[in-house]
């Protein structure tokens, strides 16, 4: 299902518009009987890794035998993917049932929802309707004013790595951004925190103390691992061995967030065995995150779209493919700090193709080309493409068998390229 299909069914604002604040969501939840408080929720914020931590947590809870809801953003192809039950995207019928309930609740009111408020309300309604035992909810943007922050009694909250992103909305320093994200802390609800710098940690600690949220700060001293080029990652945490299938080394830290979330749930009486944690971690798959889609040439898709994320992408390319020639396909949203995000790329790719993300907020490919041309070395060719097919065709034409094609940037392009690559692989186009 696509957003445009709902425009005639509900009072919605134009696609892509952001209106941070809880006033509308609070009123909508009250009209619906507060579905966000009818199912236990794990609430996860952060700049990078919150989706991965949510995926790890969801898979562990499912392995433990629970019926689990998952709410993530953005979707890779259709927005049904944002709302999942036991690892499966909600059906159109399930979504339309929630839409009908929401439409009836809004009758006679002047409330008009943003795209993200709509998705969030539908997620809460679906989790309640499907009688989920627990749901894992990823914050959309920030935390304090995010539509998901109407959850009043989360089972656990968590914060993954905090970096510079959405500075126009969240502030232009790490402590300011940390304050926005730490505002998901709630009285009595345990909070788990990814290892952060001292300034960020202090802000989070102050907020947790202010509201009375028991805090678990993950310590790197409890972690042991070594970097290899293996396609599985082994590590020990608190002297217990674990394994994950996600490749980036920072995914180990995201896994630690999920482990500590489960420890907090165990303390509250949830039945999650050590084996469920281990099996859930190794079984977690997360499309569009340093995902190898093809070989000869190797094709990787990765949703890295800010400075921290792109630095991590380059580190992983150096780790797994240190010698290969790199051909990049990139598209970004214009409201990102594109210059800072792209800075690490200056000497990392032999050729770059730019595309325009399929979003009202997408930066036009020609503008992206201009920015990159000013940054890269004279020997690196930068070519603006008319569409995704052209970009993939051109990259494939110049790539040799041992080269790399790396699609990265906004999830709005990663999902579409992933779909295109799979279709070509299956002979559908």
């Amino acid at each position: 299902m696509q957003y445009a299909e709902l425009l005639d069914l509900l009072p919605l604002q134009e696609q892509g518009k952001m209106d941070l604040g809880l006033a509308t969501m609070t009123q909508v939840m009250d009209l619906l009987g507060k579905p966000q408080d009818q199912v236990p929720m794990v609430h996860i914020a952060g700049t990078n890794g919150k989706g991965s931590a949510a995926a790890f947590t969801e898979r562990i809870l499912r392995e433990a035998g629970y019926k689990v809801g998952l709410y993530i953003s953005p979707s890779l192809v259709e927005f049904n993917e944002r709302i999942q039950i036991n690892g499966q995207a909600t059906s159109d019928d399930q979504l339309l049932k929630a839409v009908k309930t929401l439409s009836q609740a809004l009758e006679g009111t002047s409330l008009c929802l943003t795209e993200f408020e709509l998705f969030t309300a539908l997620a809460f309604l679906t989790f309640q309707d499907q009688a989920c035992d627990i749901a894992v909810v990823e914050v959309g943007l920030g935390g304090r004013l995010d539509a998901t922050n109407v959850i009043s009694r989360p089972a656990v909250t968590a914060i993954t790595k905090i970096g510079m992103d959405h500075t126009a909305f969240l502030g232009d320093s790490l402590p300011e951004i940390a304050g926005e994200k730490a505002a998901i802390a709630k009285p009595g609800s345990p909070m788990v925190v990814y290892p952060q710098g001292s300034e960020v940690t202090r802000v989070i600690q102050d907020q947790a103390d202010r509201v009375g949220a028991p805090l678990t700060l993950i310590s790197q001293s409890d972690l042991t691992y070594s970097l290899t080029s293996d396609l599985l990652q082994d590590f020990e945490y608190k002297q217990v061995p674990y394994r994950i299938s996600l490749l980036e080394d920072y995914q180990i830290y995201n896994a630690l967030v999920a482990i500590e979330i489960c420890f907090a749930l165990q303390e509250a009486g949830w039945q999650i065995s050590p084996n469920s944690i281990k099996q859930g971690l190794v079984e977690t798959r997360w499309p569009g995150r340093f995902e190898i889609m093809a070989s000869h040439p190797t094709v990787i898709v990765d949703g890295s779209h800010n400075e921290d994320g792109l630095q991590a992408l380059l580190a992983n390319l150096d780790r797994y493919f240190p010698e290969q020639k790199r051909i990049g396909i990139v598209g970004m949203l214009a409201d990102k700090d594109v210059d800072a995000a792209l800075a690490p790329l200056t000497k990392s790719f032999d050729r770059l193709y730019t595309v325009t993300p399929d979003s009202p907020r997408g930066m036009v490919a020609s503008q992206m080309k201009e920015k990159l041309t000013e940054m890269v070395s004279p020997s690196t060719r930068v070519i603006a493409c008319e569409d995704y097919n052209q970009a993939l065709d051109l990259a494939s034409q110049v790539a040799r068998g041992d080269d790399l094609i790396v699609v990265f940037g906004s999830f709005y392009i990663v999902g579409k390229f992933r779909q295109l690559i799979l279709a070509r692989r299956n002979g559908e186009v």
Side-chain angles (χ1 to χ4, degrees):
M1 181 175 288
Q2 300 295 335
Y3 185 76
E5 299 175 55
L6 302 176
L7 289 173
D8 294 331
L9 303 177
L10 289 163
L12 302 175
Q13 299 188 36
E14 62 183 278
Q15 187 172 12
K17 182 176 180 180
M18 289 193 289
D19 185 13
L20 291 178
L22 298 179
T24 298
M25 275 299 292
T26 299
Q27 293 179 68
V28 172
M29 292 298 102
D30 288 345
L31 290 170
L32 293 170
K34 298 186 176 181
Q36 79 279 18
D37 292 329
Q38 306 308 311
V39 174
M41 303 273 182
V42 175
H43 198 195
I44 304 178
T47 304
N48 292 311
K50 58 185 182 290
S52 299
F56 280 128
T57 303
E58 185 274 342
R59 191 64 185 87
I60 292 169
L61 291 169
R62 193 152 36 103
E63 194 69 30
Y66 292 107
K67 186 175 185 179
V68 189
L70 177 65
Y71 179 50
I72 54 173
S73 61
S75 46
L76 289 180
V77 180
E78 295 189 341
F79 85 75
N80 303 53
E81 303 166 23
R82 301 187 183 204
I83 305 169
Q84 301 180 21
I85 308 292
N86 275 358
Q88 298 297 315
T90 50
S91 67
D92 285 353
D93 287 343
Q94 288 172 329
L95 284 175
L96 288 172
K97 182 178 180 181
V99 167
K100 182 178 180 180
T101 301
L102 180 58
S103 177
Q104 291 172 343
L106 295 177
E107 284 183 8
T109 76
S110 60
L111 295 171
C112 187
L113 280 66
T114 65
E115 180 181 1
F116 190 73
E117 287 170 339
L118 166 66
F119 297 154
T120 304
L122 295 180
F124 292 150
L125 283 170
T126 301
F127 298 152
Q128 180 184 30
D129 179 69
Q130 295 296 308
C132 291
D133 297 313
I134 190 169
V136 183
V137 175
E138 177 190 357
V139 167
L141 190 156
R144 180 173 64 90
L145 299 177
D146 188 75
T148 63
N149 205 29
V150 293
I151 302 169
S152 63
R153 299 187 301 273
V156 185
T157 62
I159 298 179
T160 60
K161 186 177 183 182
I162 290 178
M164 299 298 291
D165 201 6
H166 297 294
T167 53
F169 300 98
L170 305 180
D172 56 8
S173 71
L174 289 177
E176 287 179 282
I177 294 171
E180 292 291 318
K181 296 182 184 294
I184 68 169
K186 298 295 187 299
S189 296
M191 173 174 269
V192 174
V193 181
Y194 183 110
Q196 315 276 355
S198 58
E199 284 189 319
V200 167
T201 300
R202 190 177 306 114
V203 170
I204 297 171
Q205 285 178 315
D206 288 347
Q207 177 64 16
D209 290 343
R210 192 175 302 119
V211 303
L215 193 64
T216 297
L217 299 174
I218 294 172
S219 173
Q220 296 191 53
S221 65
D222 290 324
L223 172 66
T224 303
Y225 73 100
S226 59
L227 293 179
T228 71
S229 59
D230 295 340
L231 297 184
L232 290 170
Q233 297 196 95
D234 294 296
F235 62 95
E236 286 191 4
Y237 182 60
K238 295 182 175 177
Q239 299 182 328
V240 177
Y242 298 96
R243 169 175 285 184
I244 60 173
S245 303
L246 302 188
L247 296 182
E248 306 97 323
D249 62 322
Y250 63 79
Q251 294 291 10
I252 293 174
Y253 289 93
N254 294 330
L256 301 189
V257 173
I259 291 169
E260 286 292 352
I261 287 171
C262 292
F263 288 169
L265 290 172
Q266 288 173 336
E267 288 290 321
W270 293 81
Q271 300 300 306
I272 307 168
S273 70
N275 188 62
S276 293
I277 295 175
K278 290 185 177 184
Q279 194 64 27
L281 289 177
V282 77
E283 293 292 338
T284 298
R285 302 292 183 271
W286 201 222
R289 281 75 173 178
F290 204 76
E291 182 181 11
I292 298 174
M293 300 288 301
S295 57
H296 307 294
T298 300
V299 180
I300 296 171
V301 295
D302 187 271
S304 296
H305 55 268
N306 55 38
E307 187 175 1
D308 276 356
L310 288 170
Q311 286 176 343
L313 168 62
L314 296 178
N316 282 299
L317 291 175
D318 289 341
R319 174 183 172 185
Y320 292 103
F321 305 99
E323 304 297 333
Q324 281 89 333
K325 177 181 176 182
R326 298 171 186 174
I327 300 162
I329 300 174
V330 58
M332 303 278 283
L333 298 184
D335 56 13
K336 297 285 186 181
D337 188 352
V338 174
D339 290 341
L342 295 178
L345 304 180
T346 53
K347 298 180 181 178
S348 302
F349 286 86
D350 298 277
R351 187 175 295 229
L352 286 162
Y353 298 94
T354 64
V355 295
T356 304
D358 185 16
S359 165
R361 296 152 55 203
M363 177 174 284
V364 177
S366 57
Q367 184 181 359
M368 173 73 75
K369 175 188 174 181
E370 291 177 7
K371 286 183 174 290
L372 283 169
T373 301
E374 294 175 357
M375 296 180 180
V376 300
S377 63
S379 61
T380 300
R381 288 195 64 189
V382 184
I383 300 168
C385 298
E386 295 180 2
D387 54 40
Y388 298 168
N389 271 294
Q390 183 190 37
L392 193 57
D393 286 342
L394 291 175
S396 299
Q397 288 168 13
V398 299
R400 297 171 303 185
D402 58 351
D403 290 343
L404 281 180
I405 298 175
V406 185
V407 180
F408 63 96
S410 168
F411 280 109
Y412 288 96
I413 78 157
V414 167
K416 295 294 186 181
F417 271 104
R418 188 176 185 276
Q419 188 179 35
L420 177 60
I421 292 165
L422 287 173
R424 290 188 177 192
R425 194 168 71 187
N426 296 331
E428 297 172 10
V429 292

